[in-house]
Amino acid sequence: MAALESEIEAHLLGRGSSTAWAALEDVTKGVFREFGYDARVTARSKDGGIDVIVDHNDHGDVYAQVKHTKNKVGVRVLRELIGTMAINGATNSLLVTSSHFTRGVTKEQALAAQRGFVVELVDGGRLLASLNLAYRRSPPTIAEVMAVAKPTVELIRGEVDI
């Protein structure tokens, strides 16, 4: 786990190697399980572009594509994921990276959502926060929970004890 965290931290700075890609897929599955979902890792090769499948009560199979790289993930990867979703009849997925996304990815993500394909983006910072929540030994702080949750409604400090 320490080696994987170290690689992700280096990737966020645009440096480092990507030797623990299989471990990242396994840990991503583990995070989903720690958050209460059934999840499984697909075959290591010829996986059709899907690394983890999450069984979700409301959305059925939710696909996760995991990219362990120091390079920014661009729209080509997102489009491949959406294509795989369309072929398999899925409407929800996650694109997870140990680094960052290019600016075009969020624009393409919004276009895909208009067509019914919901892709949640998880960059390296959010991935590290998720790992910290799932595998920690002490209770998380509100700030740590919020780093993972990414709420769309701003909390009013006077109403919440932070």
Side-chain angles (χ1 to χ4, degrees), residues 71-89:
N71 303 318
K72 288 184 177 182
V73 173
V75 295
R76 181 185 59 79
V77 174
L78 178 64
R79 288 175 182 157
E80 289 173 358
L81 176 58
I82 293 167
T84 301
M85 292 168 65
I87 289 168
N88 293 294

PDB file of all heavy atoms in Angstrom, residues 71-89:
ATOM      1  N   ASN A  71       1.015  10.349 -16.758  1.00  0.00           N
ATOM      2  CA  ASN A  71       0.496  11.232 -17.796  1.00  0.00           C
ATOM      3  C   ASN A  71      -0.973  11.555 -17.541  1.00  0.00           C
ATOM      4  O   ASN A  71      -1.706  10.737 -16.991  1.00  0.00           O
ATOM      5  CB  ASN A  71       0.633  10.577 -19.166  1.00  0.00           C
ATOM      6  CG  ASN A  71       2.066  10.212 -19.470  1.00  0.00           C
ATOM      7  OD1 ASN A  71       2.978  10.979 -19.205  1.00  0.00           O
ATOM      8  ND2 ASN A  71       2.267   9.025 -20.000  1.00  0.00           N
ATOM      9  N   LYS A  72      -1.391  12.728 -17.997  1.00  0.00           N
ATOM     10  CA  LYS A  72      -2.802  13.088 -17.880  1.00  0.00           C
ATOM     11  C   LYS A  72      -3.630  12.157 -18.763  1.00  0.00           C
ATOM     12  O   LYS A  72      -3.222  11.791 -19.858  1.00  0.00           O
ATOM     13  CB  LYS A  72      -3.028  14.534 -18.315  1.00  0.00           C
ATOM     14  CG  LYS A  72      -2.492  15.543 -17.333  1.00  0.00           C
ATOM     15  CD  LYS A  72      -2.828  16.945 -17.776  1.00  0.00           C
ATOM     16  CE  LYS A  72      -2.344  17.951 -16.753  1.00  0.00           C
ATOM     17  NZ  LYS A  72      -2.710  19.320 -17.164  1.00  0.00           N
ATOM     18  N   VAL A  73      -4.805  11.796 -18.281  1.00  0.00           N
ATOM     19  CA  VAL A  73      -5.724  10.950 -19.042  1.00  0.00           C
ATOM     20  C   VAL A  73      -6.601  11.864 -19.889  1.00  0.00           C
ATOM     21  O   VAL A  73      -7.194  12.812 -19.377  1.00  0.00           O
ATOM     22  CB  VAL A  73      -6.570  10.077 -18.094  1.00  0.00           C
ATOM     23  CG1 VAL A  73      -7.635   9.316 -18.858  1.00  0.00           C
ATOM     24  CG2 VAL A  73      -5.660   9.109 -17.335  1.00  0.00           C
ATOM     25  N   GLY A  74      -6.676  11.551 -21.182  1.00  0.00           N
ATOM     26  CA  GLY A  74      -7.388  12.404 -22.113  1.00  0.00           C
ATOM     27  C   GLY A  74      -8.705  11.831 -22.593  1.00  0.00           C
ATOM     28  O   GLY A  74      -9.153  10.767 -22.159  1.00  0.00           O
ATOM     29  N   VAL A  75      -9.303  12.545 -23.546  1.00  0.00           N
ATOM     30  CA  VAL A  75     -10.635  12.196 -24.030  1.00  0.00           C
ATOM     31  C   VAL A  75     -10.681  10.848 -24.740  1.00  0.00           C
ATOM     32  O   VAL A  75     -11.715  10.182 -24.727  1.00  0.00           O
ATOM     33  CB  VAL A  75     -11.229  13.291 -24.947  1.00  0.00           C
ATOM     34  CG1 VAL A  75     -11.457  14.566 -24.184  1.00  0.00           C
ATOM     35  CG2 VAL A  75     -10.346  13.551 -26.141  1.00  0.00           C
ATOM     36  N   ARG A  76      -9.588  10.409 -25.352  1.00  0.00           N
ATOM     37  CA  ARG A  76      -9.586   9.116 -26.034  1.00  0.00           C
ATOM     38  C   ARG A  76      -9.955   7.997 -25.074  1.00  0.00           C
ATOM     39  O   ARG A  76     -10.774   7.134 -25.397  1.00  0.00           O
ATOM     40  CB  ARG A  76      -8.212   8.834 -26.663  1.00  0.00           C
ATOM     41  CG  ARG A  76      -8.140   7.516 -27.415  1.00  0.00           C
ATOM     42  CD  ARG A  76      -6.742   7.207 -27.920  1.00  0.00           C
ATOM     43  NE  ARG A  76      -5.745   7.124 -26.864  1.00  0.00           N
ATOM     44  CZ  ARG A  76      -5.574   6.061 -26.076  1.00  0.00           C
ATOM     45  NH1 ARG A  76      -6.325   5.004 -26.200  1.00  0.00           N
ATOM     46  NH2 ARG A  76      -4.636   6.059 -25.145  1.00  0.00           N
ATOM     47  N   VAL A  77      -9.400   8.022 -23.872  1.00  0.00           N
ATOM     48  CA  VAL A  77      -9.703   6.993 -22.870  1.00  0.00           C
ATOM     49  C   VAL A  77     -11.172   7.071 -22.461  1.00  0.00           C
ATOM     50  O   VAL A  77     -11.851   6.048 -22.345  1.00  0.00           O
ATOM     51  CB  VAL A  77      -8.768   7.132 -21.644  1.00  0.00           C
ATOM     52  CG1 VAL A  77      -9.168   6.176 -20.537  1.00  0.00           C
ATOM     53  CG2 VAL A  77      -7.320   6.914 -22.056  1.00  0.00           C
ATOM     54  N   LEU A  78     -11.669   8.278 -22.257  1.00  0.00           N
ATOM     55  CA  LEU A  78     -13.075   8.455 -21.893  1.00  0.00           C
ATOM     56  C   LEU A  78     -13.994   7.937 -22.997  1.00  0.00           C
ATOM     57  O   LEU A  78     -14.970   7.237 -22.734  1.00  0.00           O
ATOM     58  CB  LEU A  78     -13.369   9.928 -21.600  1.00  0.00           C
ATOM     59  CG  LEU A  78     -14.817  10.264 -21.258  1.00  0.00           C
ATOM     60  CD1 LEU A  78     -15.252   9.588 -19.969  1.00  0.00           C
ATOM     61  CD2 LEU A  78     -14.993  11.765 -21.161  1.00  0.00           C
ATOM     62  N   ARG A  79     -13.662   8.249 -24.242  1.00  0.00           N
ATOM     63  CA  ARG A  79     -14.486   7.792 -25.361  1.00  0.00           C
ATOM     64  C   ARG A  79     -14.477   6.267 -25.473  1.00  0.00           C
ATOM     65  O   ARG A  79     -15.516   5.658 -25.784  1.00  0.00           O
ATOM     66  CB  ARG A  79     -14.005   8.422 -26.656  1.00  0.00           C
ATOM     67  CG  ARG A  79     -14.331   9.892 -26.743  1.00  0.00           C
ATOM     68  CD  ARG A  79     -13.746  10.529 -27.966  1.00  0.00           C
ATOM     69  NE  ARG A  79     -14.043  11.957 -27.996  1.00  0.00           N
ATOM     70  CZ  ARG A  79     -13.329  12.831 -28.671  1.00  0.00           C
ATOM     71  NH1 ARG A  79     -12.291  12.437 -29.391  1.00  0.00           N
ATOM     72  NH2 ARG A  79     -13.660  14.106 -28.645  1.00  0.00           N
ATOM     73  N   GLU A  80     -13.331   5.648 -25.232  1.00  0.00           N
ATOM     74  CA  GLU A  80     -13.273   4.183 -25.258  1.00  0.00           C
ATOM     75  C   GLU A  80     -14.162   3.587 -24.170  1.00  0.00           C
ATOM     76  O   GLU A  80     -14.864   2.601 -24.396  1.00  0.00           O
ATOM     77  CB  GLU A  80     -11.834   3.706 -25.080  1.00  0.00           C
ATOM     78  CG  GLU A  80     -10.954   3.972 -26.285  1.00  0.00           C
ATOM     79  CD  GLU A  80      -9.484   3.654 -26.026  1.00  0.00           C
ATOM     80  OE1 GLU A  80      -9.120   3.251 -24.897  1.00  0.00           O
ATOM     81  OE2 GLU A  80      -8.692   3.823 -26.968  1.00  0.00           O
ATOM     82  N   LEU A  81     -14.151   4.203 -22.988  1.00  0.00           N
ATOM     83  CA  LEU A  81     -14.998   3.730 -21.892  1.00  0.00           C
ATOM     84  C   LEU A  81     -16.475   3.877 -22.254  1.00  0.00           C
ATOM     85  O   LEU A  81     -17.263   2.947 -22.036  1.00  0.00           O
ATOM     86  CB  LEU A  81     -14.677   4.502 -20.609  1.00  0.00           C
ATOM     87  CG  LEU A  81     -15.536   4.205 -19.382  1.00  0.00           C
ATOM     88  CD1 LEU A  81     -15.480   2.725 -19.009  1.00  0.00           C
ATOM     89  CD2 LEU A  81     -15.092   5.072 -18.210  1.00  0.00           C
ATOM     90  N   ILE A  82     -16.844   5.001 -22.814  1.00  0.00           N
ATOM     91  CA  ILE A  82     -18.240   5.217 -23.206  1.00  0.00           C
ATOM     92  C   ILE A  82     -18.650   4.214 -24.280  1.00  0.00           C
ATOM     93  O   ILE A  82     -19.761   3.687 -24.256  1.00  0.00           O
ATOM     94  CB  ILE A  82     -18.460   6.671 -23.663  1.00  0.00           C
ATOM     95  CG1 ILE A  82     -18.294   7.610 -22.458  1.00  0.00           C
ATOM     96  CG2 ILE A  82     -19.833   6.847 -24.299  1.00  0.00           C
ATOM     97  CD1 ILE A  82     -18.169   9.068 -22.821  1.00  0.00           C
ATOM     98  N   GLY A  83     -17.752   3.920 -25.214  1.00  0.00           N
ATOM     99  CA  GLY A  83     -18.037   2.912 -26.236  1.00  0.00           C
ATOM    100  C   GLY A  83     -18.277   1.543 -25.627  1.00  0.00           C
ATOM    101  O   GLY A  83     -19.218   0.828 -26.013  1.00  0.00           O
ATOM    102  N   THR A  84     -17.469   1.175 -24.667  1.00  0.00           N
ATOM    103  CA  THR A  84     -17.651  -0.103 -23.977  1.00  0.00           C
ATOM    104  C   THR A  84     -18.975  -0.123 -23.227  1.00  0.00           C
ATOM    105  O   THR A  84     -19.688  -1.129 -23.231  1.00  0.00           O
ATOM    106  CB  THR A  84     -16.476  -0.357 -23.008  1.00  0.00           C
ATOM    107  OG1 THR A  84     -15.261  -0.375 -23.754  1.00  0.00           O
ATOM    108  CG2 THR A  84     -16.642  -1.664 -22.264  1.00  0.00           C
ATOM    109  N   MET A  85     -19.328   0.990 -22.602  1.00  0.00           N
ATOM    110  CA  MET A  85     -20.611   1.085 -21.909  1.00  0.00           C
ATOM    111  C   MET A  85     -21.753   0.873 -22.898  1.00  0.00           C
ATOM    112  O   MET A  85     -22.679   0.111 -22.624  1.00  0.00           O
ATOM    113  CB  MET A  85     -20.750   2.456 -21.229  1.00  0.00           C
ATOM    114  CG  MET A  85     -19.806   2.690 -20.081  1.00  0.00           C
ATOM    115  SD  MET A  85     -19.783   4.427 -19.543  1.00  0.00           S
ATOM    116  CE  MET A  85     -21.460   4.648 -18.939  1.00  0.00           C
ATOM    117  N   ALA A  86     -21.682   1.550 -24.041  1.00  0.00           N
ATOM    118  CA  ALA A  86     -22.750   1.457 -25.041  1.00  0.00           C
ATOM    119  C   ALA A  86     -22.895   0.028 -25.551  1.00  0.00           C
ATOM    120  O   ALA A  86     -24.016  -0.486 -25.662  1.00  0.00           O
ATOM    121  CB  ALA A  86     -22.474   2.410 -26.201  1.00  0.00           C
ATOM    122  N   ILE A  87     -21.793  -0.622 -25.831  1.00  0.00           N
ATOM    123  CA  ILE A  87     -21.834  -1.997 -26.338  1.00  0.00           C
ATOM    124  C   ILE A  87     -22.459  -2.949 -25.330  1.00  0.00           C
ATOM    125  O   ILE A  87     -23.205  -3.857 -25.689  1.00  0.00           O
ATOM    126  CB  ILE A  87     -20.410  -2.473 -26.712  1.00  0.00           C
ATOM    127  CG1 ILE A  87     -19.941  -1.741 -27.969  1.00  0.00           C
ATOM    128  CG2 ILE A  87     -20.350  -3.981 -26.905  1.00  0.00           C
ATOM    129  CD1 ILE A  87     -18.465  -1.921 -28.260  1.00  0.00           C
ATOM    130  N   ASN A  88     -22.179  -2.706 -24.043  1.00  0.00           N
ATOM    131  CA  ASN A  88     -22.654  -3.608 -22.993  1.00  0.00           C
ATOM    132  C   ASN A  88     -23.944  -3.159 -22.303  1.00  0.00           C
ATOM    133  O   ASN A  88     -24.396  -3.793 -21.359  1.00  0.00           O
ATOM    134  CB  ASN A  88     -21.546  -3.808 -21.957  1.00  0.00           C
ATOM    135  CG  ASN A  88     -20.381  -4.564 -22.525  1.00  0.00           C
ATOM    136  OD1 ASN A  88     -20.506  -5.740 -22.869  1.00  0.00           O
ATOM    137  ND2 ASN A  88     -19.244  -3.905 -22.672  1.00  0.00           N
ATOM    138  N   GLY A  89     -24.515  -2.050 -22.741  1.00  0.00           N
ATOM    139  CA  GLY A  89     -25.765  -1.588 -22.161  1.00  0.00           C
ATOM    140  C   GLY A  89     -25.634  -0.963 -20.782  1.00  0.00           C
ATOM    141  O   GLY A  89     -26.601  -0.897 -20.044  1.00  0.00           O
TER     142      GLY A  89
END
